[in-house]
Amino acid sequence: MNWAIIEFPGSNCGPDCVYVVEKVLKHKATLLWHTEKKIPSVDAIILPGGFSYGDYLRSGAMAALSNIMGAVKEAARLGVPILGICNGFQILCESKLLPGALITNRCSRFICSPIYLRVETNESIFTSLFYSGEVIQIPIAHGKGCFYADPQTIQKMESEGQILFCYCDANGNISQQSNPNGSLRNIAGIRNLKGNILGLMPHPERASENEFGSVDGKKIFQSVFSYIEAKKGKLLPC
Amino acid sequence: MKTSNEGLSTENGEVLEELKSFGLSFDEYQRLVQLLGRVPTRAEMALIGVMWSEHCCYKSSKRELKKLPTTGKRVLVKAGEENAGVVDLGNGWAVVFKIESHNHPSAVEPFQGAATGVGGIFRDIFTMGARPVCFMNSLRFGEIRAEKTTQASHNAFLLRNVVAGIAHYGNCVGVPTVGGELAFDSSYEGNPLVNVFCLGVVRVDRIQRGKAEGIGNPVFIAGSKTGRDGLKGAAFASRKLEGHKTEDRYSVQIADPFMGRILMSACLELFQEAGVVVGIQDMGAAGLICSTSETASRAKRGMEINLDNVPVREADMLAEEILLSESQERMLLIIHKDKVDRAKAIFAKWDVPFTQIGQVIEEEKLCFYHRGKKAIELSPDLIVHQAPVYELPATEPLLTNSSFPPLEKIPQPIDYKAFLLAFAALPQNSSREWIYRQFDYLVGLHAIEEPGADAAVLRVFLGNEQVRLAATLDGNGRYCGIDPYNGAKIAVAEAIRNLSVVGALPLGITDNLNFADPKNSLVYWQFKETIRGIAEACRFFDIPVTGGNVSFYNYSKDGAILPTPVIGAVGLIETDKPIPKLSFQHPGETIVLLGGWGEGLQGSLYLQERLGITGNQLPWFHLEAEKKHNEVLRLLISEGLLSTAHDLSEGGLALALIESVGSGRKKLGCSIVFPTNRRLDELLFNEAGARTIVSVPKNKLSAVLWNCQHKGLEAVVIGEVLEDYVLRLHYGEESIELKGTEIEKSWKNGLDALLSTTEDYGGA
């Protein structure tokens, strides 16, 4: 499977995603520079984390206006799976490919920490290899990861099953105590209505090898892989 | 109005006053007149005043620094030769690392001061051609306890903002901050120490040099525009801070980590193509004048520079202002004249401004043109090599009588449990989690463990290969205040021990020497003794010093700071076996104390905190014992015998146990049995060297004990790892029990309690 990894100036986690795609998943990675106007035929797209354009103006705001985002929007329309991690999530919100916005953490500080997430549903391209309600561990690292949207949007996201990951405690309880950044409804990851775009504040590429204490992040990539394979007619045992 | 081309006035009083404003002494002025053969212009004095400042030319420290061992079979670039030293890793790869201070800027503007400190050391590393792998930091502040007092709350303000500044730069450039150290003492009041360390790796055939070679090769400036920010920052670092002057703020530069990131990306891409970059140097202290003169001097060449081509923020800048500006995120590059288009294409790709400002010439002189005219002409040799070198008087202080009372006169704590919890909650001792949570320590997929361990373990990619490196920063101002010579030896030994605890073989060290005014003979004695100690320890362990930094003129309002050498050590982990962790891992394992119980409470934090006594003696320490201890540790780790290893240092066994229980994600406890023939406080709190607690699976215990016996290292079985989240201490009939939750509340939240302004999230 071929993953396009989009690089903006300051996409610090791009190389980490390339590493996980090539060395851990043993898939192909195609690096694409932000000036490109077209995306070659790929199976899925990753918008990696980092500080694109130094977070100037607002996180993700400048990258949302880049050439390549036109091509990403086109790919989105065609149903290509798109995974925005951390800053990639912020870019997807700024591009209006996902609802809501990510604002400064409630404690106002940057937080880098291992974290528990509850998988809200496994009925998605990105979560098919989890159980619904499964508690997983993927670290966060952000200063502006507090998800915000107006009440109607949140309600709609809930009813449409767009909320895929929530911050929780070790037992899967969702509470203020288990909310690292003040996100509404403890939201950590959401999908678009169509279901082919995931925005996720935690970093799955940092939970893909045993050395890092968790391989739960790898399952997100593998879920996408099994979807692509299934679409090609190659069914994998789940 | 006086123009910069005029000489000095002839009135003597005025002369001295003016010289002072340039940072030159009368002797230095006379030296300059002799070297030039004429009276210098104001512009020349401005430049020389900064280039001959302590910060740039090490005039008071140079003679002493020469006493440090700098050679070794792995050393590829020695200390002082280039921007940072380089050590061979084998297989065509090398590691580059260095530590630097940003103390004065952080005192005046903690956020930007600390951020630009990180930026400076970051550029020093990639200037060498290396891809930065990690940052670490060593911080010192005045007391933050009793937050209600103005002093304490100011110190807490400094700490919060220094940490935020480090996080701001490090996180944004995408290099993980993986560890460090922190200590408090009233002598750092108002003058915090902010020492930052960066490590990178480079292919040996891509190591870059700061040499302006090749006549006719064009000279470029890359990165940010040049402005008036940070004018004379080097000079500012070379004197005492005087209160909180608003004007000092102008000496602090503003960080732009995004520009730092793309500047690095562009440079690293450029280095991949051999032969494009002839020479490169970052612009740190004394900006353009320093980088042009040093690169020219290394190549024994000159340069013609047109200052009108330097992109400036303010149009009316004087020639010397452009030359002395310390605006951040700028590099000087000498490009091969046939490869200019390649370089331009790469900088254009990264949107990094890249402008030709001059060329290399044969004659050893620097000609700066400004507004169409030659403004300044100086010899690079005069700037770089003719700076004065001083041998300053050193006076050994009379031994103070604050000697330390006999043990039997010291009362033991009445309530050990309460005392231990209070001890664990001290800012000096408590978990550093409040700090490192703000650092992205995971980016790059290098850091295998959370920060807070004895040494950071890094997975580093060298082409298609992987190696594991270890890095640590250590220093103890309290020890060096008691005895700078032995205190410095202990600092080196502790750094090496921290590497050994993760199974790493030391490759080299970098030192940051933080002191007060070198012209004070008592301070200079401390400085000389410190260097003597570092040199002796390094020779003993056969480890080179690959570079470092000296920071003088550090004062609180009550006097000199404690002499504070900070040692950064880097090691290579040769074994493939799992590295033991800081925390306990498996219930039922046996806990062994390598190096024995230790003795004596002299020099301990326990005495200082309990009785306010520092005394004039250090804890027991022996280099030979350290060496044996390190060898055995590495052997045990290479045979995969240890699950946990944590060295004993400040706070003794007590703090080590609290840390190994409190830091564990598995929430395991331990039970320890103490011998009753000695006082419990002595067993718990003595800081004797060469000791480590390890935990060992039952089936490997005999192998551990056999190895220790065979090598002649004392190993005492002291307890076992418990399933319960509790620290249990048994002393005869008595037993003391600290619940894990109590440890969390005191040790883990010690800093939060003093620093957090809002309620914090605890993490997974």
Side-chain angles (χ1 to χ4, degrees):
Chain A
M1 143 161 207
N2 188 0
W3 300 76
I5 294 163
I6 313 283
E7 265 202 309
F8 301 96
S11 290
N12 303 336
C13 307
D16 300 355
C17 290
V18 172
Y19 172 82
V20 167
V21 165
E22 289 182 342
K23 303 283 166 144
V24 179
L25 300 169
K26 314 243 187 265
H27 296 170
K28 191 174 172 226
T30 305
L31 265 177
L32 294 176
W33 191 235
H34 66 102
T35 50
E36 304 283 332
K37 290 185 177 139
K38 278 213 174 95
I39 296 177
S41 156
V42 293
D43 298 307
I45 297 170
I46 297 175
L47 293 166
F51 285 74
S52 61
Y53 299 94
D55 268 1
Y56 286 129
L57 189 57
R58 286 188 312 275
S59 307
M62 311 271 274
L65 302 173
S66 63
N67 275 341
I68 201 145
M69 285 312 291
V72 169
K73 281 178 184 163
E74 178 57 18
R77 202 182 58 78
L78 295 173
V80 177
I82 298 170
L83 167 56
I85 303 166
C86 197
N87 188 226
F89 187 6
Q90 294 164 339
I91 295 169
L92 290 170
C93 289
E94 286 286 344
S95 308
K96 304 272 180 262
L97 286 169
L98 287 174
L102 294 148
I103 58 175
T104 303
N105 295 348
R106 188 175 291 164
C107 70
S108 80
R109 294 190 299 275
F110 190 97
I111 305 173
C112 179
S113 180
I115 217 115
Y116 292 110
L117 296 173
R118 193 173 77 189
V119 181
E120 297 299 281
T121 168
N122 63 358
E123 290 173 26
S124 87
I125 293 175
F126 305 96
T127 54
S128 60
L129 297 183
F130 297 103
Y131 302 104
S132 287
E134 189 175 341
V135 177
I136 61 172
Q137 251 194 78
I138 301 180
I140 54 164
H142 57 244
K144 297 182 177 74
C146 172
F147 184 83
Y148 181 84
D150 58 57
Q152 295 92 314
T153 310
I154 297 268
Q155 200 178 15
K156 189 171 168 219
M157 287 166 60
E158 269 178 7
S159 61
E160 297 287 344
Q162 283 178 260
I163 301 168
L164 297 188
F165 299 97
C166 289
Y167 301 111
C168 66
D169 65 17
N171 302 317
N173 301 313
I174 289 178
S175 66
Q176 207 169 332
Q177 223 105 57
S178 67
N179 187 343
N181 53 25
S183 283
L184 291 184
R185 226 189 140 294
N186 282 36
I187 286 174
I190 57 169
R191 66 165 174 81
N192 62 343
L193 260 182
K194 194 168 166 183
N196 65 321
I197 305 178
L198 168 66
L200 184 66
M201 280 320 289
H203 284 266
E205 80 278 16
R206 298 177 182 185
S208 292
E209 296 169 275
N210 286 320
E211 280 99 320
F212 291 90
S214 164
V215 288
D216 294 333
K218 190 175 162 187
K219 274 196 186 170
I220 294 177
F221 299 105
Q222 285 172 326
S223 294
V224 178
F225 175 61
S226 65
Y227 165 74
I228 297 291
E229 292 293 287
K231 232 175 49 165
K232 286 176 185 164
K234 288 186 255 176
L235 286 174
L236 289 179
C238 280
Chain B
M1 202 187 124
K2 289 160 184 164
T3 69
S4 53
N5 279 325
E6 265 178 60
L8 283 184
S9 70
T10 47
E11 303 289 329
N12 259 341
E14 271 187 53
V15 172
L16 286 178
E17 212 34 53
E18 278 224 73
L19 284 177
K20 206 180 152 198
S21 75
F22 291 122
L24 288 167
S25 71
F26 190 68
D27 288 347
E28 286 165 353
Y29 173 70
Q30 282 190 314
R31 183 184 176 88
L32 184 55
V33 171
Q34 260 175 16
L35 288 164
L36 285 171
R38 59 176 168 80
V39 172
T41 64
R42 283 202 164 72
E44 287 168 339
M45 282 194 290
L47 298 181
I48 296 296
V50 174
M51 286 303 294
W52 286 7
S53 71
E54 194 64 59
H55 190 75
C56 288
C57 78
Y58 291 80
K59 57 190 168 190
S60 307
S61 57
K62 215 172 198 166
R63 293 178 79 108
E64 292 303 313
L65 294 174
K66 285 204 173 118
K67 296 175 182 167
L68 294 170
T70 56
T71 51
K73 59 181 189 302
R74 284 178 181 264
V75 178
L76 299 177
V77 176
K78 278 203 314 187
E81 267 179 50
E82 291 281 347
N83 290 290
V86 183
V87 181
D88 198 2
L89 287 175
N91 294 324
W93 286 85
V95 60
V96 184
F97 54 90
K98 196 180 172 187
I99 190 167
E100 219 167 64
S101 63
H102 237 211
N103 304 340
H104 286 101
S106 303
V108 178
E109 215 297 52
F111 184 92
Q112 292 295 345
T116 51
V118 177
I121 195 68
F122 171 67
R123 285 192 304 280
D124 268 338
I125 298 306
F126 77 76
T127 299
M128 298 303 298
R131 176 173 294 280
V133 169
C134 74
F135 291 124
M136 297 206 288
N137 52 71
S138 166
L139 311 175
R140 297 288 184 280
F141 297 90
E143 287 290 350
I144 59 166
R145 282 182 275 179
E147 164 110 47
K148 296 289 176 290
T149 71
T150 335
Q151 274 307 334
S153 66
H154 181 65
N155 292 328
F157 159 83
L158 289 174
L159 171 52
R160 277 191 208 104
N161 283 281
V162 162
V163 170
I166 291 172
H168 170 64
Y169 203 99
N171 296 349
C172 190
V173 295
V175 174
T177 302
V178 298
E181 53 141 25
L182 166 69
F184 300 88
D185 187 87
S186 58
S187 77
Y188 307 114
E189 199 91 52
N191 191 143
L193 303 186
V194 177
N195 293 181
V196 284
F197 166 98
C198 185
L199 175 152
V201 290
V202 59
R203 249 175 70 180
V204 172
D205 59 355
R206 290 289 185 274
I207 294 171
Q208 301 297 316
R209 302 279 180 165
K211 271 188 184 169
E213 280 174 332
I215 298 155
N217 276 335
V219 177
F220 285 82
I221 190 167
S224 290
K225 284 184 175 174
T226 300
R228 285 200 170 99
D229 55 326
L231 269 182
K232 296 197 189 172
F236 162 62
S238 303
R239 61 175 163 82
K240 266 165 100 165
L241 286 167
E242 290 156 20
H244 284 284
K245 284 189 186 169
T246 331
E247 62 207 65
D248 278 345
R249 294 233 175 121
Y250 302 122
S251 298
V252 180
Q253 312 88 343
I254 307 298
D256 180 355
F258 174 61
M259 179 57 87
R261 170 76 191 187
I262 54 177
L263 188 57
M264 173 201 74
S265 303
C267 287
L268 291 179
E269 193 169 329
L270 198 56
F271 300 150
Q272 308 236 321
E273 297 179 29
V276 179
V277 179
V278 175
I280 181 166
Q281 178 148 340
D282 84 299
M283 289 194 229
L288 192 53
I289 185 66
C290 181
S291 56
T292 50
S293 58
E294 288 190 1
T295 50
S297 145
R298 286 194 196 106
K300 301 216 174 300
R301 292 281 178 231
M303 273 183 202
E304 271 176 359
I305 302 287
N306 187 351
L307 297 176
D308 297 323
N309 290 345
V310 175
V312 288
R313 288 195 191 127
E314 291 158 274
D316 60 341
M317 288 175 75
L318 299 173
E320 60 268 33
E321 287 180 323
I322 298 174
L323 286 166
L324 288 173
S325 160
E326 296 186 5
S327 290
Q328 295 291 291
E329 338 300 347
R330 298 180 304 153
M331 303 290 277
L332 186 84
L333 290 104
I334 298 100
I335 301 293
H336 192 287
K337 52 182 173 249
D338 300 332
K339 303 276 176 70
V340 171
D341 289 343
R342 241 351 255 151
K344 280 187 174 163
I346 289 171
F347 279 101
K349 174 192 160 185
W350 288 98
D351 285 323
V352 174
F354 182 65
T355 317
Q356 186 176 346
I357 57 167
Q359 59 168 334
V360 177
I361 58 171
E362 184 173 10
E363 206 182 329
E364 284 182 58
K365 62 176 186 184
L366 293 170
C367 300
F368 298 103
Y369 295 86
H370 191 228
R371 299 191 182 131
K373 284 191 300 195
K374 189 191 277 187
I376 294 158
E377 182 180 315
L378 279 170
S379 119
D381 184 62
L382 180 145
I383 300 173
V384 180
H385 294 302
Q386 300 298 327
V389 178
Y390 298 126
E391 179 163 29
L392 298 175
T395 316
E396 184 172 351
L398 297 170
L399 257 189
T400 49
N401 282 331
S402 69
S403 68
F404 140 105
L407 211 52
E408 57 274 15
K409 292 252 168 95
I410 302 168
Q412 297 205 42
I414 299 158
D415 180 349
Y416 262 100
K417 176 172 174 171
F419 181 78
L420 280 165
L421 289 173
F423 188 70
L426 290 174
Q428 188 87 3
N429 293 341
S430 58
S431 161
R432 272 56 181 129
E433 189 170 329
W434 188 88
I435 291 173
Y436 69 72
R437 279 280 164 259
Q438 299 181 56
F439 302 147
D440 186 351
Y441 55 87
L442 289 166
V443 64
L445 304 177
H446 297 303
I448 294 166
E449 286 296 320
E450 275 207 1
D454 293 319
V457 176
L458 303 156
R459 177 178 73 167
V460 180
F461 306 106
L462 307 175
N464 285 324
E465 302 289 311
Q466 273 183 23
V467 295
R468 288 192 292 184
L469 297 177
T472 177
L473 297 185
D474 290 286
N476 191 322
R478 191 163 46 83
Y479 288 176
C480 292
I482 296 172
D483 175 350
Y485 164 70
N486 284 301
K489 284 204 292 192
I490 293 180
V492 174
E494 200 197 328
I496 304 305
R497 197 188 323 138
N498 283 336
L499 294 182
S500 307
V501 162
V502 295
L505 195 67
L507 295 171
I509 69 160
T510 175
D511 57 345
N512 206 127
L513 307 170
N514 304 280
F515 288 83
D517 183 351
K519 291 185 205 78
N520 176 329
S521 65
L522 294 170
V523 171
Y524 204 66
W525 176 82
Q526 293 175 332
F527 179 70
K528 284 181 82 161
E529 285 291 284
T530 299
I531 295 218
R532 190 162 73 89
I534 295 174
E536 190 181 312
C538 285
R539 287 211 173 83
F540 178 81
F541 289 116
D542 194 19
I543 302 165
V545 178
T546 65
N549 176 260
V550 180
S551 171
F552 283 130
Y553 305 100
N554 294 293
Y555 277 89
S556 75
K557 65 176 190 337
D558 296 325
I561 62 158
L562 288 172
T564 313
V566 174
I567 305 295
V570 174
L572 177 65
I573 299 173
E574 290 176 313
T575 174
D576 296 330
K577 292 276 166 37
I579 303 304
K581 313 265 187 200
L582 172 73
S583 58
F584 295 124
Q585 297 297 314
H586 307 290
E589 286 191 346
T590 306
I591 300 170
V592 181
L593 178 56
L594 303 181
W597 290 103
E599 59 184 54
L601 284 168
Q602 70 276 16
S604 67
L605 185 64
Y606 168 76
L607 272 200
Q608 176 169 305
E609 286 300 331
R610 227 173 103 61
L611 303 176
I613 305 170
T614 314
N616 53 16
Q617 273 179 293
L618 287 177
W620 182 90
F621 168 77
H622 206 283
L623 281 175
E624 286 290 351
E626 295 285 344
K627 194 177 208 168
K628 185 191 285 173
H629 186 82
N630 294 340
E631 283 168 5
V632 173
L633 265 176
R634 282 195 296 267
L635 173 75
L636 298 177
I637 293 167
S638 70
E639 294 190 0
L641 300 173
L642 309 179
S643 305
T644 302
H646 183 18
D647 94 303
L648 272 52
S649 52
E650 205 169 49
L653 178 62
L655 193 59
L657 290 170
I658 286 169
E659 288 169 346
S660 286
V661 172
S663 66
R665 301 182 67 78
K666 295 184 181 169
K667 296 188 189 286
L668 300 177
C670 70
S671 149
I672 305 293
V673 180
F674 290 84
T676 48
N677 59 350
R678 304 256 299 279
R679 288 167 56 127
L680 182 57
D681 60 349
E682 189 188 2
L683 297 169
L684 275 171
F685 298 107
N686 86 75
E687 296 178 13
R691 297 187 306 142
T692 301
I693 47 167
V694 299
S695 97
V696 184
K698 282 251 151 51
N699 60 351
K700 293 174 177 167
L701 182 62
S702 59
V704 168
L705 296 177
W706 186 87
N707 271 307
C708 291
Q709 193 184 21
H710 187 68
K711 299 277 177 190
L713 179 72
E714 189 182 353
V716 194
V717 171
I718 61 167
E720 70 169 337
V721 181
L722 301 178
E723 179 106 50
D724 299 341
Y725 192 30
V726 64
L727 173 57
R728 247 179 234 135
L729 310 174
H730 301 281
Y731 184 72
E733 300 286 286
E734 260 182 87
S735 78
I736 302 155
E737 186 170 302
L738 275 63
K739 291 196 188 76
T741 46
E742 292 171 324
I743 291 176
E744 284 189 1
K745 216 172 151 199
S746 64
W747 175 75
K748 219 168 185 173
N749 294 330
L751 282 181
D752 302 37
L754 292 166
L755 294 170
S756 277
T757 41
T758 50
E759 202 175 304
D760 275 289
Y761 167 76

mmCIF file with all atom_site columns, all heavy atoms in Angstrom, chain A residues 5 22-23 88 91 114 126 145 153 162 194:
data_model
loop_
_atom_site.group_PDB
_atom_site.id
_atom_site.type_symbol
_atom_site.label_atom_id
_atom_site.label_alt_id
_atom_site.label_comp_id
_atom_site.label_asym_id
_atom_site.label_entity_id
_atom_site.label_seq_id
_atom_site.pdbx_PDB_ins_code
_atom_site.Cartn_x
_atom_site.Cartn_y
_atom_site.Cartn_z
_atom_site.occupancy
_atom_site.B_iso_or_equiv
_atom_site.pdbx_formal_charge
_atom_site.auth_seq_id
_atom_site.auth_comp_id
_atom_site.auth_asym_id
_atom_site.auth_atom_id
_atom_site.pdbx_PDB_model_num
ATOM 1  N N   . ILE A 1 5   ? 2.607   11.229 2.183  1.00 0.00 ? 5   ILE A N   1
ATOM 2  C CA  . ILE A 1 5   ? 2.827   11.995 3.414  1.00 0.00 ? 5   ILE A CA  1
ATOM 3  C C   . ILE A 1 5   ? 3.141   13.428 3.008  1.00 0.00 ? 5   ILE A C   1
ATOM 4  O O   . ILE A 1 5   ? 4.117   13.693 2.294  1.00 0.00 ? 5   ILE A O   1
ATOM 5  C CB  . ILE A 1 5   ? 3.952   11.364 4.253  1.00 0.00 ? 5   ILE A CB  1
ATOM 6  C CG1 . ILE A 1 5   ? 3.470   9.982  4.737  1.00 0.00 ? 5   ILE A CG1 1
ATOM 7  C CG2 . ILE A 1 5   ? 4.312   12.248 5.445  1.00 0.00 ? 5   ILE A CG2 1
ATOM 8  C CD1 . ILE A 1 5   ? 4.549   9.064  5.222  1.00 0.00 ? 5   ILE A CD1 1
ATOM 9  N N   . GLU A 1 22  ? 7.348   2.878  6.336  1.00 0.00 ? 22  GLU A N   1
ATOM 10 C CA  . GLU A 1 22  ? 8.309   2.047  5.608  1.00 0.00 ? 22  GLU A CA  1
ATOM 11 C C   . GLU A 1 22  ? 8.886   0.913  6.456  1.00 0.00 ? 22  GLU A C   1
ATOM 12 O O   . GLU A 1 22  ? 8.982   -0.215 5.996  1.00 0.00 ? 22  GLU A O   1
ATOM 13 C CB  . GLU A 1 22  ? 9.466   2.918  5.082  1.00 0.00 ? 22  GLU A CB  1
ATOM 14 C CG  . GLU A 1 22  ? 9.022   3.827  3.935  1.00 0.00 ? 22  GLU A CG  1
ATOM 15 C CD  . GLU A 1 22  ? 10.170  4.647  3.374  1.00 0.00 ? 22  GLU A CD  1
ATOM 16 O OE1 . GLU A 1 22  ? 11.209  4.774  4.063  1.00 0.00 ? 22  GLU A OE1 1
ATOM 17 O OE2 . GLU A 1 22  ? 10.022  5.174  2.249  1.00 0.00 ? 22  GLU A OE2 1
ATOM 18 N N   . LYS A 1 23  ? 9.294   1.245  7.691  1.00 0.00 ? 23  LYS A N   1
ATOM 19 C CA  . LYS A 1 23  ? 10.034  0.251  8.469  1.00 0.00 ? 23  LYS A CA  1
ATOM 20 C C   . LYS A 1 23  ? 9.137   -0.607 9.358  1.00 0.00 ? 23  LYS A C   1
ATOM 21 O O   . LYS A 1 23  ? 9.473   -1.746 9.653  1.00 0.00 ? 23  LYS A O   1
ATOM 22 C CB  . LYS A 1 23  ? 11.097  0.933  9.352  1.00 0.00 ? 23  LYS A CB  1
ATOM 23 C CG  . LYS A 1 23  ? 12.080  1.773  8.591  1.00 0.00 ? 23  LYS A CG  1
ATOM 24 C CD  . LYS A 1 23  ? 13.113  0.913  7.910  1.00 0.00 ? 23  LYS A CD  1
ATOM 25 C CE  . LYS A 1 23  ? 13.879  1.619  6.930  1.00 0.00 ? 23  LYS A CE  1
ATOM 26 N NZ  . LYS A 1 23  ? 14.837  1.935  6.274  1.00 0.00 ? 23  LYS A NZ  1
ATOM 27 N N   . GLY A 1 88  ? -1.765  18.045 11.718 1.00 0.00 ? 88  GLY A N   1
ATOM 28 C CA  . GLY A 1 88  ? -2.548  17.641 10.543 1.00 0.00 ? 88  GLY A CA  1
ATOM 29 C C   . GLY A 1 88  ? -4.045  17.775 10.812 1.00 0.00 ? 88  GLY A C   1
ATOM 30 O O   . GLY A 1 88  ? -4.818  18.185 9.931  1.00 0.00 ? 88  GLY A O   1
ATOM 31 N N   . ILE A 1 91  ? -4.868  21.381 10.624 1.00 0.00 ? 91  ILE A N   1
ATOM 32 C CA  . ILE A 1 91  ? -4.938  21.824 9.222  1.00 0.00 ? 91  ILE A CA  1
ATOM 33 C C   . ILE A 1 91  ? -6.277  21.405 8.607  1.00 0.00 ? 91  ILE A C   1
ATOM 34 O O   . ILE A 1 91  ? -6.913  22.173 7.885  1.00 0.00 ? 91  ILE A O   1
ATOM 35 C CB  . ILE A 1 91  ? -3.751  21.241 8.405  1.00 0.00 ? 91  ILE A CB  1
ATOM 36 C CG1 . ILE A 1 91  ? -2.421  21.803 8.923  1.00 0.00 ? 91  ILE A CG1 1
ATOM 37 C CG2 . ILE A 1 91  ? -3.913  21.539 6.921  1.00 0.00 ? 91  ILE A CG2 1
ATOM 38 C CD1 . ILE A 1 91  ? -1.178  21.093 8.379  1.00 0.00 ? 91  ILE A CD1 1
ATOM 39 N N   . PRO A 1 114 ? 1.803   10.146 27.722 1.00 0.00 ? 114 PRO A N   1
ATOM 40 C CA  . PRO A 1 114 ? 1.028   8.971  27.326 1.00 0.00 ? 114 PRO A CA  1
ATOM 41 C C   . PRO A 1 114 ? -0.411  9.200  27.787 1.00 0.00 ? 114 PRO A C   1
ATOM 42 O O   . PRO A 1 114 ? -0.625  9.875  28.799 1.00 0.00 ? 114 PRO A O   1
ATOM 43 C CB  . PRO A 1 114 ? 1.667   7.830  28.116 1.00 0.00 ? 114 PRO A CB  1
ATOM 44 C CG  . PRO A 1 114 ? 2.831   8.398  28.826 1.00 0.00 ? 114 PRO A CG  1
ATOM 45 C CD  . PRO A 1 114 ? 2.725   9.870  28.814 1.00 0.00 ? 114 PRO A CD  1
ATOM 46 N N   . PHE A 1 126 ? -10.922 3.772  10.040 1.00 0.00 ? 126 PHE A N   1
ATOM 47 C CA  . PHE A 1 126 ? -9.718  3.956  10.866 1.00 0.00 ? 126 PHE A CA  1
ATOM 48 C C   . PHE A 1 126 ? -9.711  3.122  12.147 1.00 0.00 ? 126 PHE A C   1
ATOM 49 O O   . PHE A 1 126 ? -8.699  3.051  12.826 1.00 0.00 ? 126 PHE A O   1
ATOM 50 C CB  . PHE A 1 126 ? -9.574  5.443  11.229 1.00 0.00 ? 126 PHE A CB  1
ATOM 51 C CG  . PHE A 1 126 ? -9.565  6.338  10.028 1.00 0.00 ? 126 PHE A CG  1
ATOM 52 C CD1 . PHE A 1 126 ? -10.736 6.967  9.599  1.00 0.00 ? 126 PHE A CD1 1
ATOM 53 C CD2 . PHE A 1 126 ? -8.406  6.531  9.301  1.00 0.00 ? 126 PHE A CD2 1
ATOM 54 C CE1 . PHE A 1 126 ? -10.729 7.774  8.477  1.00 0.00 ? 126 PHE A CE1 1
ATOM 55 C CE2 . PHE A 1 126 ? -8.401  7.344  8.177  1.00 0.00 ? 126 PHE A CE2 1
ATOM 56 C CZ  . PHE A 1 126 ? -9.576  7.964  7.751  1.00 0.00 ? 126 PHE A CZ  1
ATOM 57 N N   . GLY A 1 145 ? -4.742  21.662 21.597 1.00 0.00 ? 145 GLY A N   1
ATOM 58 C CA  . GLY A 1 145 ? -5.456  20.440 21.216 1.00 0.00 ? 145 GLY A CA  1
ATOM 59 C C   . GLY A 1 145 ? -6.845  20.363 21.811 1.00 0.00 ? 145 GLY A C   1
ATOM 60 O O   . GLY A 1 145 ? -7.480  19.306 21.777 1.00 0.00 ? 145 GLY A O   1
ATOM 61 N N   . THR A 1 153 ? -23.240 21.373 16.393 1.00 0.00 ? 153 THR A N   1
ATOM 62 C CA  . THR A 1 153 ? -22.257 20.567 15.654 1.00 0.00 ? 153 THR A CA  1
ATOM 63 C C   . THR A 1 153 ? -21.890 19.321 16.457 1.00 0.00 ? 153 THR A C   1
ATOM 64 O O   . THR A 1 153 ? -21.842 18.218 15.917 1.00 0.00 ? 153 THR A O   1
ATOM 65 C CB  . THR A 1 153 ? -20.979 21.402 15.370 1.00 0.00 ? 153 THR A CB  1
ATOM 66 O OG1 . THR A 1 153 ? -21.386 22.639 14.792 1.00 0.00 ? 153 THR A OG1 1
ATOM 67 C CG2 . THR A 1 153 ? -20.042 20.676 14.434 1.00 0.00 ? 153 THR A CG2 1
ATOM 68 N N   . GLN A 1 162 ? -19.562 10.437 14.420 1.00 0.00 ? 162 GLN A N   1
ATOM 69 C CA  . GLN A 1 162 ? -18.311 11.002 13.895 1.00 0.00 ? 162 GLN A CA  1
ATOM 70 C C   . GLN A 1 162 ? -17.207 11.057 14.948 1.00 0.00 ? 162 GLN A C   1
ATOM 71 O O   . GLN A 1 162 ? -16.055 11.282 14.620 1.00 0.00 ? 162 GLN A O   1
ATOM 72 C CB  . GLN A 1 162 ? -18.564 12.436 13.384 1.00 0.00 ? 162 GLN A CB  1
ATOM 73 C CG  . GLN A 1 162 ? -19.259 12.470 12.037 1.00 0.00 ? 162 GLN A CG  1
ATOM 74 C CD  . GLN A 1 162 ? -19.537 13.895 11.608 1.00 0.00 ? 162 GLN A CD  1
ATOM 75 O OE1 . GLN A 1 162 ? -20.644 14.395 11.754 1.00 0.00 ? 162 GLN A OE1 1
ATOM 76 N NE2 . GLN A 1 162 ? -18.527 14.566 11.076 1.00 0.00 ? 162 GLN A NE2 1
ATOM 77 N N   . LYS A 1 194 ? -18.647 11.761 5.649  1.00 0.00 ? 194 LYS A N   1
ATOM 78 C CA  . LYS A 1 194 ? -18.471 10.691 4.658  1.00 0.00 ? 194 LYS A CA  1
ATOM 79 C C   . LYS A 1 194 ? -17.682 9.513  5.226  1.00 0.00 ? 194 LYS A C   1
ATOM 80 O O   . LYS A 1 194 ? -17.836 8.375  4.791  1.00 0.00 ? 194 LYS A O   1
ATOM 81 C CB  . LYS A 1 194 ? -17.729 11.298 3.465  1.00 0.00 ? 194 LYS A CB  1
ATOM 82 C CG  . LYS A 1 194 ? -17.721 10.484 2.216  1.00 0.00 ? 194 LYS A CG  1
ATOM 83 C CD  . LYS A 1 194 ? -17.202 11.403 1.119  1.00 0.00 ? 194 LYS A CD  1
ATOM 84 C CE  . LYS A 1 194 ? -16.823 10.662 -0.118 1.00 0.00 ? 194 LYS A CE  1
ATOM 85 N NZ  . LYS A 1 194 ? -16.257 11.613 -1.108 1.00 0.00 ? 194 LYS A NZ  1
#
